Amino acid sequence: MSERLRVVALYPELMNIYADRGNLLMLERRCRWRDIGFELKAVSFDDRLAPGECDLIYIGGGQDRDQALCARDLVQRKRDALVEAVAGGCALLAVCGGYQLLGRSYRVGDETLPGLGLVGAETVREPGPRLIGNCVIETTLGGELRLLAGFENHGGRTYLDPGVEPLGRVVRGHGNNGRDGGEGVVQGNVIGTYLHGPLLPKNAWLADFLIERALGIALAPLEDGLEQAAHECAIEAAGLPLARLDRAAYADLR
């Protein structure tokens, strides 16, 4: 068991739209409030990713041009280390543009960005409007039914290979492609999602889940009155009235 959570943020100067950096702040606070050490390292174009020196890798979303720059560097210079880290038990959270790079490729018009190939998925920029709005999904991540709330804004449509599990089922919003009802992907310790928010401040339970997975420990609960209020407000902002939900059915609402 590590005495501190060691987090690597990939390309944080570029992959940080919709305040995705808030996810890192949430992890730091949840650790500090439990007297767990927290170490954050930024890894960008000129930096080396050391597989044995991190417990959790994070990559957020970015603009198209920045995403393309990161995709090439990620695949050419960091893929092997990243694969080794994940194989060794490191957790990985990727949001939006970062999520799109987890699969084999992302095709945008005549250009195809290389992907990491960590999960069986492909992303395509198809004709049609961007998929935008507040979103809620149901997920059984961690073994119990829970809700995840966030904000999505993506032009790419992601298609998972047969047998690859989405992170959850769309209750409100569009999800991976607006068609199959799936949102995000989960494979072992790798989680990808289109949900911004920032995601973790709106879903404190997911932040704790990631810390537990990364460190291999069980966390003591915190006094989460404000966090729970933020979570429930985000659910209602997506047009899902809490009064219509069976609260007993969801572990995050009990």
Side-chain angles (χ1 to χ4, degrees), residues 29-59:
R29 296 296 192 277
R30 305 293 288 182
C31 285
R32 174 150 54 95
W33 292 336
R34 294 183 170 98
D35 292 324
I36 297 173
F38 183 85
E39 178 181 307
L40 176 62
K41 180 179 181 181
V43 170
S44 194
F45 297 100
D46 295 328
D47 303 317
R48 185 178 70 91
L49 175 63
E53 298 177 2
C54 53
D55 305 303
L56 192 155
I57 297 171
Y58 173 73
I59 182 168

Side-chain angles (χ1 to χ4, degrees), residues 140-146 209:
T140 55
L141 196 65
E144 293 186 288
L145 185 64
R146 290 184 171 88
F209 174 86

Side-chain angles (χ1 to χ4, degrees), residues 16-237:
N16 175 43
I17 58 174
Y18 294 113
D20 282 343
R21 188 177 291 119
N23 292 323
L24 299 170
L25 292 173
M26 186 67 170
L27 291 169
E28 187 271 335
R29 296 296 192 277
R30 305 293 288 182
C31 285
R32 174 150 54 95
W33 292 336
R34 294 183 170 98
D35 292 324
I36 297 173
F38 183 85
E39 178 181 307
L40 176 62
K41 180 179 181 181
V43 170
S44 194
F45 297 100
D46 295 328
D47 303 317
R48 185 178 70 91
L49 175 63
E53 298 177 2
C54 53
D55 305 303
L56 192 155
I57 297 171
Y58 173 73
I59 182 168
Q63 302 295 336
D64 289 351
R65 176 181 176 277
D66 296 333
Q67 182 192 27
L69 292 172
C70 294
R72 297 185 184 95
D73 184 76
L74 196 59
V75 171
Q76 293 171 8
R77 304 183 60 190
K78 298 178 175 63
R79 182 184 183 282
D80 290 347
L82 200 149
V83 169
E84 183 179 341
V86 170
C90 182
L92 190 157
L93 173 64
V95 173
C96 199
Y99 166 41
Q100 293 170 335
L101 301 181
L102 294 183
R104 289 184 294 274
S105 63
Y106 178 19
R107 180 157 49 85
V108 186
D110 295 331
E111 183 180 19
T112 298
L113 301 180
L116 290 164
L118 278 177
V119 300
E122 289 188 336
T123 299
V124 181
R125 179 75 61 84
E126 297 177 344
R130 296 181 66 85
L131 304 181
I132 303 174
N134 291 302
C135 182
V136 175
I137 68 172
E138 286 182 339
T139 178
T140 55
L141 196 65
E144 293 186 288
L145 185 64
R146 290 184 171 88
L147 296 172
L148 266 177
F151 177 78
E152 59 180 334
N153 182 356
H154 51 104
R157 272 66 164 167
T158 297
Y159 296 92
L160 305 183
D161 291 352
V164 177
E165 292 294 325
L167 175 60
R169 182 186 69 85
V170 174
V171 180
R172 290 287 189 279
H174 304 285
N176 281 338
N177 49 54
R179 296 190 181 95
D180 63 18
E183 202 290 319
V185 69
V186 59
Q187 184 170 301
N189 279 355
V190 176
I191 295 175
T193 179
Y194 275 113
L195 299 185
H196 296 280
L199 173 67
L200 299 184
K202 288 184 175 179
N203 305 277
W205 71 263
L206 180 59
D208 287 352
F209 174 86
L210 288 168
I211 295 169
E212 289 183 333
R213 277 294 184 93
L215 295 183
I217 61 175
L219 296 177
L222 295 172
E223 180 57 50
D224 275 338
L226 289 175
E227 289 80 0
Q228 187 64 25
H231 179 58
E232 296 186 5
C233 283
I235 292 171
E236 295 209 303

